[in-house]
């Protein structure tokens, strides 16, 4: 119920911003509210990403055998669409760069050559524009 109310409020704010018949101060206030909500979402998302990188990824690396990790990665990539799988690979690449060298080596041996050489391009064209929206 809270989620429905929250989504309804956001839609209402977007409607106010786009309604040119309303006074500019009402539209401006709605824009500020949307900007505030976007800032909150950005902060929450960054917090979740930080926790995942600092807690979940090392825990998975320590507790789950490499073979099972590889199997899970293959299943995840197979279930994602083309765009999502590319984003996932870039995110994985970014995460393993901050981990132990053996994790980076595992990434290099687990991911085929062609996708690995495409990662910088996908990062530049897909990942950075999406991740950059969180910084605004």
């Amino acid at each position: 119920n809270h989620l429905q109310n929250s989504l309804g409020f956001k839609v209402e704010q977007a409607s106010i911003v786009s309604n040119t018949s309303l006074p500019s101060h009402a539209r401006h206030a709605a824009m500020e509210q949307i900007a505030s909500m976007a800032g909150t979402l950005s902060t929450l998302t960054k917090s979740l990403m930080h926790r995942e990188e600092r807690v979940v990824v090392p825990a998975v690396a320590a507790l789950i055998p490499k073979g099972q990790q590889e199997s899970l990665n293959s299943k995840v990539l197979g279930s994602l669409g083309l765009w999502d799988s590319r984003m996932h690979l870039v995110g994985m690449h970014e995460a393993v760069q901050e981990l132990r060298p053996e994790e980076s080596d595992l990434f290099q041996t687990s991911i085929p050559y062609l996708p690995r050489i495409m990662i910088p391009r996908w990062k530049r064209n897909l990942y950075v524009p999406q991740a950059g929206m969180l910084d605004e």
Side-chain angles (χ1 to χ4, degrees):
N1 193 16
H2 174 71
L3 180 60
Q4 289 174 337
N5 292 339
S6 179
L7 289 173
F9 176 74
K10 291 170 182 140
V11 169
E12 178 184 334
Q13 295 301 305
S15 297
I16 291 171
V17 169
S18 63
N19 188 343
T20 57
S21 66
L22 291 174
S24 63
H25 70 280
R27 294 172 59 210
H28 183 72
M31 279 190 269
E32 287 180 351
Q33 184 66 34
I34 290 171
S36 174
M37 289 185 289
T40 300
L41 178 61
S42 176
T43 300
L44 291 172
T45 303
K46 285 179 184 178
S47 174
L48 287 172
M49 288 172 56
H50 179 73
R51 285 182 193 149
E52 180 181 332
E53 289 171 0
R54 301 293 177 236
V55 177
V56 176
V57 172
V60 167
L63 299 174
I64 298 177
K66 291 179 182 180
Q68 287 181 348
Q69 290 179 37
E70 292 173 17
S71 174
L72 178 63
N73 269 344
S74 296
K75 289 177 184 177
V76 167
L77 291 174
S79 69
L80 296 173
L82 186 60
W83 189 85
D84 287 334
S85 64
R86 289 175 178 178
M87 292 288 283
H88 180 72
L89 280 172
V90 173
M92 284 175 41
H93 180 263
E94 294 296 301
V96 299
Q97 297 308 308
E98 298 175 11
L99 298 175
R100 299 181 307 261
E102 59 267 17
E103 295 299 325
S104 183
D105 293 343
L106 178 61
F107 181 86
Q108 294 296 321
T109 58
S110 301
I111 306 300
Y113 176 73
L114 185 57
R116 280 197 332 263
I117 65 169
M118 293 300 293
I119 286 174
R121 178 185 176 104
W122 295 338
K123 180 178 178 183
R124 184 177 59 251
N125 295 334
L126 303 173
Y127 189 81
V128 170
Q130 292 296 314
M133 289 193 297
L134 298 176
D135 294 329
E136 297 174 353

